[in-house]
């Protein structure tokens, strides 16, 4: 993998992404930018596999933004994060984006989950497009390591859902969700939800 560029709103969001990158052993391959000129400078250097960009930063026309990036840098994948409507997400996909990762706040845990998903997406994309020799998949952790409820919560975390939303979906209290989350973090050896999502995708526990 060459580089993932993350285009985010605030320095705080950038710091959280950098910290997450360090936890996934990718600090040298992740570049955080906070303005369009910096983004296009990185793209012009030709070392970018995937860009994760807040959909709000592609305003006023994220579809046009997508077409511009895809036309000028066809070898670079584009992933959006943010509160995009289903219609907008479909239009972005039609314009050439790889997808839209949900991150409602733009700088919280859901942004880190979106980043973790993008890391995995970038690795898969690079493997599929540049390697003629199939890579051996890492050993799949035994599913019995997680309880059914913990696995449900892990799946919900990969979708960027908050604890309150998970609690509603599973008909349990938010405290119960937090307790199960702590248990699954411990079993996976994860520090937080973003780290748990990265481990789950990287090891094949979730695909």
């Amino acid at each position: 993998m060459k580089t993932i560029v993350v285009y985010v709103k605030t320095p705080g969001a950038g710091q959280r992404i950098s910290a997450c990158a360090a936890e996934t052993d990718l600090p040298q391959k992740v570049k955080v930018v906070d303005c369009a000129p910096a983004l296009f400078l990185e793209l012009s250097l030709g070392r970018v596999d995937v860009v994760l960009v807040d959909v709000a930063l592609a305003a006023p026309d994220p579809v046009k933004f997508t077409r511009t990036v895809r036309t000028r840098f066809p070898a670079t994948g584009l992933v959006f994060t943010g509160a995009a409507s289903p219609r907008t997400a479909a239009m972005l996909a039609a314009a050439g984006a790889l997808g839209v990762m949900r991150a409602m706040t733009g700088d919280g845990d859901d942004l880190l989950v979106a980043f973790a998903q993008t890391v995995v997406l970038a690795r898969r994309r690079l493997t599929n497009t540049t390697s003629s020799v199939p890579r051996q998949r890492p050993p799949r952790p035994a599913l019995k390591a997680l309880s059914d409820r913990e696995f449900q919560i892990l799946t919900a975390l990969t979708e960027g859902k908050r604890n309150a939303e998970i609690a509603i979906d599973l008909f349990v209290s938010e405290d119960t969700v937090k307790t199960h989350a702590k248990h699954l973090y411990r079993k996976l050896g994860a520090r937080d939800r973003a780290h748990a999502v990265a481990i789950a995708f990287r090891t094949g526990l979730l695909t």
Side-chain angles (χ1 to χ4, degrees), residues 100-116:
V100 179
M101 306 296 188
R102 181 180 179 181
M104 300 300 292
T105 64
D107 60 2
D109 287 341
D110 44 0
L111 176 62
L112 298 186
V113 170
F115 169 71

Side-chain angles (χ1 to χ4, degrees), residues 30-103:
V30 176
K31 179 72 174 181
V32 178
V33 298
D34 59 4
C35 66
L39 169 63
F40 283 96
L41 175 60
E42 290 296 329
L43 289 171
S44 68
L45 295 176
R47 298 195 302 263
V48 181
D49 291 313
V50 176
V51 175
L52 175 65
V53 55
D54 189 317
V55 69
L57 297 178
D61 190 342
V63 173
K64 181 178 180 180
F65 177 91
T66 300
R67 289 173 179 158
T68 298
V69 172
R70 297 294 297 135
T71 299
R72 292 178 58 185
F73 310 100
T76 297
L78 184 62
V79 179
F80 284 94
T81 184
S85 68
R87 180 175 180 274
T88 298
M91 292 174 65
L92 293 172
L98 296 177
V100 179
M101 306 296 188
R102 181 180 179 181

Side-chain angles (χ1 to χ4, degrees), residues 121-198:
L121 181 62
R123 283 173 166 166
R124 289 177 179 170
R125 185 175 185 274
L126 186 63
T127 299
N128 292 338
T129 57
T130 64
S131 176
S132 59
V133 180
R135 294 183 181 180
Q136 183 176 3
R137 191 168 186 166
R140 183 183 181 93
L143 295 180
K144 65 181 180 181
L146 300 181
S147 69
D148 289 342
R149 184 65 83 191
E150 289 164 355
F151 192 78
Q152 288 175 329
I153 291 174
L154 177 61
T155 301
L157 293 179
T158 68
E159 297 170 356
K161 291 184 176 180
R162 298 177 179 282
N163 290 339
E165 294 175 293
I166 299 172
I168 292 173
D169 290 345
L170 299 182
F171 303 100
V172 298
S173 70
E174 190 170 346
D175 285 341
T176 297
V177 172
K178 291 178 181 179
T179 297
H180 284 303
K182 288 180 181 178
H183 291 165
L184 75 88
Y185 294 165
R186 184 174 66 250
K187 290 180 178 180
L188 294 177
R191 296 180 179 84
D192 51 33
R193 65 169 57 200
H195 197 197
V197 170

Side-chain angles (χ1 to χ4, degrees), residues 14-38:
Q15 291 171 3
R16 289 171 67 83
I17 288 291
S18 296
C20 184
E23 290 183 354
T24 54
D25 300 323
L26 288 172
Q28 74 282 6
K29 296 174 182 144
V30 176
K31 179 72 174 181
V32 178
V33 298
D34 59 4
C35 66

